[in-house]
Amino acid sequence: MQKLIRITTVPSSLRTLLKGQSRFMSNHFEVIGVSGDGDALAEVRQNEGIKTHVVEMTRTITPFKDLKATYELYKIFKAEKPFIVHTHTPKAGTLGMLAAKLARVPHRLHTIAGLPLLETAGNKRTLLDAVEKFTYACATKILPNSFGLKKIIIDNKYTKPKKLLVIGNGSSNGIDTMHYDTRLISEEKKEALKQELGITKKDLVYIFIGRVVKDKGINELVNAFNTLSKREINCKLILVGPSENHLDPLLPETETLIKENRRILAVGMQKDIRPYVAISHVLTFPSYREGFPNVVLQCSCMNLPCIVSNINGCNEVIENEVNGLIITVKDEISLENAMQFMIDFPEKREAMIRHARCKITKRYEQTYVWNELLNYYKSLN
């Protein structure tokens, strides 16, 4: 059986972003996972039933550590002799594609699920642009996970259009529509969580899920909600996800508002987001940049209208005033107005709910995405 090696920078990406996919591909390839060490990698071995290798990679520019990781990847490729190396996340992509090219792996695929460099400028942007082009040059195929991202790559001239391929309708892993179903969360569980968080029947609950960082639009979201909550007594905002102040810090005044506004409920990282989605009414996701946002798929699948930025990925899932609202990027007033809209027009919000889940099941069902990727793997020779 031919070998397929999947690589991510940190093991949580291998565990969460590609959940179930490695086990599915194991029916057709000998799948090997490579990532940094940790409990998440142990979970991958157990849940996906695949062999794994540990290679520590950093998420910042660290030349000596990067060279060491590249050499370790090269040694793995020479020993395993894979037919395909498929990388995800920026650092794993750069190091994995270089090592795979040096090891003469025949098929070197890199999935683009977002471009953090779009939010940089000056010398750092010049450097990151060069790294991006280098990564693409080492790959045999680049797989943007949205059509908007494909256009951005072409516009920035990172590679030639013929080297790009979007799998299916976009998304790296699709969505398990049977898992993300509000019917799986009992009324008892929902009531207990509401009581724990101090949410009443009168409250309209907004939710954000993701890294609580600047690039996700958290400064704008917290400010917009803070202003809204002064006018509207019955509203809450749940923030689900880890902060990464060492990588992308929030403004100090945003941190203060999160602590001081008692209607902002920061619950941190949650292994199962579904109970929190089930007690919410609207997803607020004002991100600056995305590849293809899983959280918009997940919340839509659980019947939430979504307020999203007018960026690639988000505007491919959400149709304005059909299954959500599309707002201007980095525009606090646009966001506040959209949140107010959801309060002022409950009948329009209800109509959006009716369109939310069906759009996802038609286009992004997990097995469809997996089979589309498998068909591409099988086309390689």
Side-chain angles (χ1 to χ4, degrees), residues 255-268:
E255 297 276 14
T256 301
L257 283 175
I258 292 172
K259 288 172 186 168
E260 293 184 353
N261 188 326
R262 296 174 72 179
R263 294 186 215 161
I264 299 176
L265 312 167
V267 299

Side-chain angles (χ1 to χ4, degrees), residues 61-218:
I61 299 168
T62 50
F64 292 111
K65 290 180 180 177
D66 294 345
L67 279 171
K68 181 173 182 282
T70 303
Y71 179 61
E72 288 176 4
L73 289 167
Y74 171 82
K75 287 195 296 182
I76 290 169
F77 300 155
K78 291 301 282 185
E80 297 286 1
K81 297 180 172 53
F83 180 63
I84 301 168
V85 166
H86 188 168
T87 56
H88 296 256
T89 65
K91 182 59 74 73
T94 301
L95 307 188
M97 289 297 94
L98 171 59
K101 185 170 185 179
L102 292 172
R104 297 186 178 179
V105 176
H107 300 289
R108 306 179 298 276
L109 318 179
H110 178 49
T111 288
I112 308 295
L115 289 167
L117 59 83
L118 296 177
E119 291 301 316
T120 61
N123 291 335
K124 186 177 181 182
R125 175 63 185 264
T126 303
L127 173 62
L128 292 175
D129 278 341
V131 171
E132 202 72 14
K133 289 178 182 177
F134 175 77
T135 303
Y136 294 20
C138 290
T140 54
K141 203 75 172 180
I142 297 295
L143 308 177
N145 73 347
S146 76
F147 291 98
L149 201 50
K150 178 182 178 181
K151 183 179 184 301
I152 291 169
I153 291 167
I154 293 168
D155 290 347
N156 282 274
K157 297 182 169 61
Y158 291 140
T159 193
K160 293 178 181 177
K162 66 180 181 182
K163 204 169 193 177
L164 301 170
L165 174 69
V166 177
I167 300 295
N169 296 306
S171 175
S172 299
N173 201 36
I175 180 166
D176 182 351
T177 57
M178 294 180 71
H179 181 73
Y180 290 99
D181 189 333
T182 50
R183 292 172 296 184
L184 299 178
I185 311 301
S186 69
E187 289 301 320
E188 292 78 14
K189 188 161 192 173
K190 286 192 282 186
E191 286 307 314
L193 187 55
K194 283 181 186 177
Q195 196 166 5
E196 180 188 327
L197 296 175
I199 292 169
T200 70
K201 288 181 180 179
K202 292 181 179 178
D203 285 330
L204 189 132
V205 181
Y206 303 95
I207 188 168
F208 167 86
I209 303 166
R211 292 176 300 113
V212 182
V213 295
K214 176 188 168 188
D215 275 10
K216 294 292 185 182
I218 298 298

